[in-house]
C-alpha cells in the first residue's frame, strides 16, 4: 500500500521511520516532510491545510491511506473533506473528523464532554464577553494559582497560570479582548491541579482501542522545568510512576468513558487520542485531550512499539482493531530535543548541521530541517530529536546525550537534565 503522511516534524519523521519497517508498505510520501524523511520516502511540497493539493497528490500517487500528524488539518476538517469527495471517500484517513477534533480544538467542548461522561477533571467555568462578571466571581471563589485557557487552538501558548487575583482578572479581560486572537474570545477558567503530568496515548477505531506506551514530556525550555513553555524539549517512556494500578484507573475512568462517550454522541473517531493528565497523589485527572500523537512523545513511544504500525492502522480503518496485536518493548526510550538558540523566542534558521553521520546507537528524528543539496540546514525552533532505546532510563539518556554532543550547529541548545524528576 502507498501511504501519505501529513506534517513536517519529528512526529512525522518517526511515523515514516516506523511505517518503513512494515512489509505492507509499498511507497511512502510525506507532505511536506523534512530533510530526515527524504531518505525514507518522497517529500511532496504541499502545506498541511492545502486540501486541494493533497487530493491531487493522493490521486496521482495512488495513495491507499493518509496519516495526519498535526492537529490543524484535523480541526480544519481534512477527514470530512475526504468523506465528501467521491474519489477520496474510500481512502482511510487516520485522524478524526472535525467534530471529534473539537476535543482538541475547543477547550470548552472538551470540558463539557468530560463532564457529560463523568471523567475526572478540574472544576471550570466558561467565560465570554457576555458573562465576564460571573467569570470574575468564579475566580474569587477558587484559590490561587489561577488557570486561564483560550478556548481555541493557540499553538500550545493559550494557557496562562497566574499567582494573584488582580493579575488573573486583568489577564482574563486581555484574553477576551483578543490576546490570542479569536482563540481567546472564549476563556475556560480552571481550578489549579497540583501533581505530576504525563501523557497517555490511545489508538482507536471508534469502538475498540489500544493503549500505547505512556510518556512524560518536558515542556519548559530551562533546566529543572523553568522558563518558557515550548512544544516539548524531550520525552521519556515508560514513566516510572505510571504503575499498572494507576494505568487501570486511567483506562476505567478516562479511556473507556471517552470512547463510549464518542460512540454515544455519534462522533465517529478513527485515530489517536492523547490524554494529557495530572497524577494527583495517585489519582488521575484529565487536563486536556489532543486528537493526534504528541511531539516529541511520538519519537519515544514508537521506538517501543514492536508491532507493525501499518497493520494497526489497517485495524483502525476497518474497525477491527480488536483483532490486531500490540506488542510493547519493555525497555526505556528517551528523546532529547535539540533546538535553535533563542527558541521559544526568536531564533535563526538555515544553520548548517554537522556530524549527523557520527551518531551511533540512537535514531535522530528531524523536527525542523531542510535539505539544500547534500547539506542539512535547521528550519525551525525544534531541530532534531535524538532518540534512544536501552535497558534503563539512565542508559538511554546517556546514549542520547553522547550522540547529541557529536552533532553541532551554531547556537544549538538542549536540556541536559531530562529525567531529573523521575530518579
Ligand atoms: P493544556 O494546553 O490544557 O495542556 O495546558 C498547558 C499546561 O498548563 C499543562 O500541560 C499544565 O502544565 C498546565 N495546566 C493546564 N491546566 C491546568 C490545571 N487545571 N492545573 C494545573 N496546571 C494546569
Ligand atoms: N508534546 C506535547 C504536544 O505534542 O502537545
Amino acid at each position: 500500500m502507498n501511504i501519505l503522511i501529513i506534517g513536517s516534524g519529528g512526529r512525522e519523521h518517526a511515523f515514516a521511520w516506523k511505517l518503513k519497517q512494515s512489509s505492507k508498505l509499498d511507497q511512502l510520501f510525506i507532505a511536506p516532510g523534512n530533510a530526515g524523511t527524504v531518505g525514507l520516502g518522497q517529500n511532496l511540497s504541499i502545506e498541511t491545510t492545502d486540501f486541494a493539493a493533497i487530493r491531487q497528490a493522493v490521486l496521482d500517487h495512488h495513495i491507499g491511506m493518509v496519516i495526519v500528524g498535526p492537529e490543524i488539518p484535523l480541526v480544519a476538517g481534512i477527514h470530512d473533506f475526504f468523506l465528501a469527495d467521491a474519489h477520496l471517500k474510500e481512502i482511510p484517513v487516520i485522524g478524526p473528523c472535525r467534530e471529534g477534533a473539537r476535543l482538541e480544538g475547543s477547550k470548552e467542548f472538551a470540558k463539557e464532554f468530560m463532564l457529560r461522561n463523568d471523567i475526572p477533571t478540574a472544576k471550570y467555568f466558561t467565560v465570554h464577553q457576555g458573562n465576564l462578571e460571573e467569570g470574575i466571581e468564579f475566580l474569587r471563589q477558587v484559590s490561587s494559582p489561577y488557570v486561564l485557557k483560550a478556548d481555541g487552538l493557540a499553538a500550545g501558548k493559550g494557557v496562562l497560570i497566574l499567582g494573584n487575583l488582580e493579575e488573573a482578572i486583568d489577564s482574563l479581560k486581555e484574553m477576551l479582548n483578543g490576546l490570542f486572537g479569536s482563540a481567546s474570545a472564549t476563556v475556560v477558567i480552571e481550578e489549579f491541579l497540583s501533581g505530576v503530568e504525563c501523557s497517555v496515548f490511545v489508538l482507536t477505531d471508534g469502538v475498540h482501542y489500544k493503549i500505547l506506551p505512556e510518556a512524560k514530556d518536558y515542556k519548559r525550555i530551562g533546566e529543572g522545568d523553568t522558563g518558557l513553555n515550548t512544544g516539548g524539549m524531550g520525552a521519556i517512556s515508560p514513566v516510572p510512576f505510571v504503575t499498572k494500578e494507576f494505568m487501570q484507573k486511567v483506562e476505567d475512568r478516562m479511556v473507556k468513558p471517552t470512547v463510549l462517550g464518542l460512540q454515544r454522541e455519534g462522533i465517529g473517531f478513527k485515530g489517536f487520542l492523547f490524554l494529557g493528565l495530572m497524577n494527583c497523589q495517585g489519582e488521575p485527572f484529565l487536563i486536556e485531550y489532543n486528537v493526534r500523537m504528541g511531539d516529541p512523545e511520538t519519537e519515544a513511544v514508537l521506538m517501543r512499539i514492536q508491532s507493525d504500525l501499518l497493520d494497526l492502522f489497517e485495524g483502525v480503518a476497518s474497525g477491527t482493531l480488536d483483532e490486531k496485536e500490540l506488542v510493547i518493548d519493555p525497555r526505556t526510550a528517551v528523546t532529547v530535543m535539540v533546538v535553535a538558540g533563542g527558541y521559544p523566542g526568536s531564533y535563526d534558521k538555515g544553520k548548517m548541521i554537522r556530524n549527523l553521520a557520527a551518531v551511533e546507537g540512537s535514531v535522530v528524528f528531524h523536527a525542523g530541517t531542510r535539505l539544500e543539496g547534500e547539506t542539512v540546514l535547521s528550519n525551525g525552533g525544534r531541530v532534531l530529536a535524538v532518540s534512544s532505546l536501552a535497558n534503563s532510563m539512565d542508559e538511554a539518556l546517556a546514549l542520547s546525550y553522547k550522540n547529541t554532543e557529536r552533532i553541532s550547529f551554531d547556537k544549538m541548545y538542549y536540556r541536559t537534565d531530562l529525567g531529573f524528576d523521575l530518579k
Side-chain angles (χ1 to χ4, degrees):
M1 186 193 303
N2 292 352
I3 300 275
L4 173 64
I5 300 171
I6 308 282
S8 63
R11 168 183 49 214
E12 289 75 25
H13 184 180
F15 275 137
W17 169 84
K18 183 67 186 158
L19 289 169
K20 190 73 184 168
Q21 296 164 20
S22 170
S23 58
K24 297 182 169 201
L25 179 78
D26 292 318
Q27 285 180 286
L28 186 60
F29 297 86
I30 309 96
N34 60 37
T37 58
V38 168
L40 297 168
Q42 185 182 335
N43 284 357
L44 304 173
S45 176
I46 299 174
E47 287 310 312
T48 60
T49 50
D50 187 349
F51 297 170
I54 290 171
R55 175 184 193 277
Q56 198 55 49
V58 165
L59 299 176
D60 289 348
H61 298 292
H62 308 287
I63 299 297
M65 185 186 286
V66 178
I67 320 299
V68 187
E71 64 278 15
I72 291 178
L74 292 167
V75 172
I78 190 169
H79 197 155
D80 311 73
F81 175 85
F82 271 63
L83 291 175
D85 186 298
H87 297 287
L88 301 184
K89 68 177 182 211
E90 304 296 337
I91 298 169
V93 174
I94 304 300
C97 286
R98 193 185 277 120
E99 186 69 4
R102 290 179 74 199
L103 285 180
E104 176 163 0
S106 165
K107 300 273 186 203
E108 181 183 23
F109 179 82
K111 292 295 276 191
E112 287 176 350
F113 180 90
M114 292 177 212
L115 210 64
R116 281 197 296 279
N117 292 288
D118 286 328
I119 294 169
T121 187
K123 282 202 198 80
Y124 75 102
F125 187 80
T126 305
V127 194
H128 41 81
Q129 287 291 1
N131 66 350
L132 176 61
E133 288 310 316
E134 286 167 71
I136 293 173
E137 195 46 43
F138 183 82
L139 280 173
R140 291 188 202 285
Q141 284 163 21
V142 292
S143 48
S144 163
Y146 303 92
V147 182
L148 304 179
K149 299 187 175 185
D151 175 60
L153 290 184
K157 298 196 170 82
V159 177
L160 299 182
I161 299 183
L162 299 137
N164 81 54
L165 182 64
E166 293 314 312
E167 270 174 5
I169 294 173
D170 288 346
S171 296
L172 173 61
K173 290 178 183 163
E174 284 172 28
M175 286 176 84
L176 294 174
N177 287 328
L179 183 62
F180 300 106
S182 59
S184 62
T186 299
V187 174
V188 173
I189 306 176
E190 278 186 25
E191 175 190 48
F192 183 82
L193 295 171
S194 86
V196 198
E197 281 179 66
C198 72
S199 310
V200 169
F201 302 96
V202 179
L203 182 64
T204 179
D205 60 13
V207 177
H208 318 99
Y209 62 83
K210 300 271 187 223
I211 300 183
L212 308 179
E214 79 286 354
K216 183 158 197 318
D217 172 23
Y218 290 83
K219 288 206 170 80
R220 303 293 195 92
I221 188 72
E223 311 263 315
D225 284 342
T226 54
L228 293 174
N229 258 326
T230 69
M233 294 297 293
I236 295 179
S237 174
V239 181
F241 68 76
V242 177
T243 58
K244 248 186 153 157
E245 189 191 3
F246 183 79
M247 197 51 126
Q248 194 61 52
K249 292 179 186 172
V250 173
E251 179 167 7
D252 293 342
R253 300 174 192 175
M254 294 173 181
V255 179
K256 277 185 195 157
T258 300
V259 174
L260 280 173
L262 287 166
Q263 270 180 270
R264 199 170 35 238
E265 299 184 18
I267 303 174
F269 197 109
K270 289 181 181 291
F272 292 101
L273 275 165
F274 164 162
L275 281 59
L277 52 90
M278 191 76 90
N279 175 358
C280 302
Q281 295 175 320
E283 303 303 319
F285 283 80
L286 189 54
I287 295 179
E288 65 162 352
Y289 287 110
N290 294 310
V291 297
R292 52 170 174 88
M293 282 297 288
D295 194 350
E297 293 96 322
T298 308
E299 291 90 308
V301 166
L302 290 189
M303 284 195 126
R304 296 190 55 220
I305 295 184
Q306 292 176 324
S307 315
D308 181 335
L309 187 61
L310 183 43
D311 186 51
L312 287 162
F313 285 159
E314 284 182 339
V316 171
S318 60
T320 56
L321 190 55
D322 56 325
E323 294 168 18
K324 304 293 183 184
E325 196 187 22
L326 173 66
V327 182
I328 295 174
D329 194 316
R331 291 178 294 168
T332 295
V334 307
T335 292
V336 174
M337 190 59 86
V338 182
V339 307
Y343 172 83
S346 60
Y347 56 83
D348 293 331
K349 290 185 188 177
K351 301 290 185 188
M352 186 193 292
I353 301 170
R354 294 189 172 84
N355 295 336
L356 285 168
V359 169
E360 266 175 65
S362 298
V363 184
V364 180
F365 294 115
H366 291 215
T369 65
R370 69 184 172 85
L371 215 47
E372 199 171 273
E374 300 282 290
T375 309
V376 180
L377 300 177
S378 69
N379 194 35
R382 294 194 296 167
V383 179
L384 300 168
V386 183
S387 306
S388 311
L389 186 65
N391 285 326
S392 70
M393 181 173 79
D394 284 341
E395 261 181 69
L397 283 167
L399 193 54
S400 271
Y401 282 130
K402 191 167 92 188
N403 280 315
T404 302
E405 284 163 17
R406 291 175 166 147
I407 302 167
S408 73
F409 63 88
D410 185 32
K411 299 198 181 85
M412 76 179 238
Y413 169 79
Y414 55 94
R415 272 180 64 170
T416 61
D417 68 336
L418 300 187
F420 77 97
D421 52 343
L422 300 178
K423 291 180 184 171

